[in-house]
Amino acid sequence: MSFTTLPNHLADKARRARLLEIEARLTEHAFPPQLVIENTSWCNLTCIHCSHSELKRANRHMDRALWDRVVTEVGQVSPDCEVWPTFYGEALLLGNELWDRLDYAASVGCRNLVLNSNGTALGSKDNIERVLASPLRRFILSLDGFKRETFEHIRRKAKWDRVYPAVTELCRRRKERGQQFPAIIAQFTVLPDNADEAEAFRDYWHQQGAEVKIRPMLEWTATGSIRTSTITHGDDFRIACPWANNTMAIHQDGKVVTCAVDYEGLCTAGNVAELSLAECWSRLAANRAAHRAHRWAELPEICRGCGDWQTAGAEYDPLRVEGTRPFWFGNSTKD
Ligand code: SF4
């Protein structure tokens, strides 16, 4: 089974089996294994598979003091927690401030920093050098298209001529220096518009020395207008959601929300400006337990209507460097 054939997750036997396998490994964690932190809610793109253009809440950067507070707790309590400094925005829009924030996080003990970017600002200033000098373990570029016209159609407002050469140059310099970290990962979200380019995409980025991650499309909960025929609503089959169980997501104003796709913050569990991360995580415990026990009626409304749990499991290359996969990855090439 490959995501590039655009399988309907619940109609595909292999996908159902895979989802059950992922669910069987879910367990309760005393502290979130993954933290998604919105350093900024600004984004400069309006991608066709993203709800950012429908966002009603404010576009702004997270206060620096709040970021410092959060990463200090991670460094003290769980230094190997995966810290993703992006949620619903483009982190490179913070300019030099981003690199300071990452350095600060590393200085207080965070060992597992993973940054996602649309790559549009990578070629500006000395950002390529800053990526290579940063404490990042992984740097994931969301690219979603191989041909110029496909890339620019999906990643609306992005220019192929700015992004592809910059990511290619990043790969070249990293290879030249023989650096292991950060792993450079070219991400491809499969849509009907790009599915036929996945293999060319994979070949190109492998030739540059990057890794490739292929993932199915999300709907960003069922509260916006983004929909895909690969997700089913209203089926009896359901698994406990991996995001609910493994990830805590924080908006730029400090609000802890349902998960990393609750972009509008429709269900909140406190604010990290007032509470510790551990306290917020424990407030989400009832939701995690309800998911794992299949007590669907007890889920918050946003989870009840959501089908994004069906997209769990992305396809990765075989592991090259230890420490460059999500915590639950194991020996698999899919997660
Ligand atoms: S079911 Fe949807 S909204 Fe609920 S935690 Fe999972 S991904 Fe988030």
Side-chain angles (χ1 to χ4, degrees):
M1 198 287 305
S2 161
F3 294 127
T4 57
T5 61
L6 294 160
N8 174 282
H9 299 287
L10 300 195
D12 187 289
K13 266 173 83 175
R15 272 300 285 155
R16 280 197 187 219
R18 175 73 186 131
L19 290 170
L20 289 169
E21 211 179 284
I22 291 170
E23 182 185 43
R25 286 188 280 148
L26 297 178
T27 179
E28 180 63 12
H29 298 274
F31 193 83
Q34 292 178 312
L35 263 180
V36 173
I37 307 167
E38 190 177 67
N39 271 276
T40 184
S41 51
W42 285 104
C43 189
N44 54 344
L45 302 187
T46 53
C47 300
I48 63 169
H49 54 326
C50 179
S51 288
H52 195 281
S53 53
E54 298 166 5
L55 197 64
K56 294 190 191 81
R57 63 190 172 90
N59 284 326
R60 59 182 290 272
H61 297 337
M62 174 177 270
D63 286 345
R64 175 61 195 262
L66 194 52
W67 165 257
D68 289 359
R69 175 184 157 104
V70 167
V71 293
T72 299
E73 183 178 340
V74 175
Q76 285 168 352
V77 178
S78 185
D80 288 315
C81 166
E82 282 174 39
V83 175
W84 295 64
T86 327
F87 183 159
Y88 225 44
E90 170 51 37
L92 267 67
L93 297 180
L94 275 104
N96 286 340
E97 171 70 18
L98 172 66
W99 311 116
D100 286 349
R101 289 185 184 207
L102 294 178
D103 285 344
Y104 182 80
S107 78
V108 293
C110 297
R111 292 195 283 250
N112 200 350
L113 296 160
V114 184
L115 184 65
N116 237 309
S117 169
N118 62 29
T120 51
L122 181 64
S124 304
K125 301 184 183 159
D126 57 351
N127 280 335
I128 292 178
E129 288 301 312
R130 301 301 292 264
V131 170
L132 292 172
S134 75
L136 289 172
R137 280 251 188 110
R138 284 180 268 162
F139 185 47
I140 303 173
L141 283 307
S142 299
L143 300 174
D144 306 336
F146 179 63
K147 293 182 189 154
R148 177 194 311 267
E149 56 273 25
T150 310
F151 173 86
E152 293 186 356
H153 162 67
I154 294 172
R155 305 200 67 78
R156 261 188 328 223
K157 296 189 184 172
K159 294 287 171 228
W160 192 97
D161 281 339
R162 282 182 63 80
V163 177
Y164 258 68
V167 183
T168 303
E169 176 62 8
L170 171 70
C171 292
R172 189 193 67 74
R173 288 194 213 172
R174 182 181 168 280
K175 202 164 158 188
E176 190 176 76
R177 297 175 195 188
Q179 275 185 233
Q180 280 197 316
F181 299 106
I184 309 297
I185 300 175
Q187 177 167 276
F188 187 95
T189 297
V190 186
L191 283 71
D193 317 60
N194 65 7
D196 60 340
E197 294 181 16
E199 287 319 307
F201 179 93
R202 199 195 303 269
D203 289 349
Y204 178 79
W205 288 112
H206 282 168
Q207 279 164 23
Q208 309 315 311
E211 299 186 37
V212 171
K213 175 182 172 188
I214 307 241
R215 58 161 312 150
M217 182 182 158
L218 295 169
E219 291 184 342
W220 294 98
T221 75
T223 59
S225 66
I226 305 296
R227 290 291 178 275
T228 165
S229 61
T230 54
I231 289 178
T232 308
H233 293 274
D235 196 281
D236 285 344
F237 178 91
R238 181 163 192 158
I239 61 159
C241 181
W243 285 286
N245 278 275
N246 295 329
T247 309
M248 190 163 98
I250 306 169
H251 281 179
Q252 51 77 15
D253 58 0
K255 278 194 193 110
V256 172
V257 299
T258 330
C259 69
V261 295
D262 182 6
Y263 61 92
E264 205 61 81
L266 297 182
C267 179
T268 56
N271 193 305
V272 293
E274 294 143 14
L275 300 167
S276 69
L277 297 172
E279 285 168 322
C280 292
W281 183 241
S282 70
R283 286 184 172 200
L284 288 163
N287 189 28
R288 295 193 294 277
H291 268 280
R292 292 198 304 275
H294 290 193
R295 297 193 304 265
W296 309 129
E298 292 175 28
L299 298 185
E301 199 181 332
I302 187 170
C303 288
R304 272 182 271 148
C306 175
D308 285 339
W309 52 271
Q310 292 165 39
T311 69
E315 219 179 280
Y316 285 85
D317 290 342
L319 183 66
R320 292 185 197 168
V321 179
E322 221 37 73
T324 55
R325 289 290 181 273
F327 77 97
W328 63 81
F329 186 75
N331 297 319
S332 169
T333 54
K334 297 178 169 69
D335 234 318

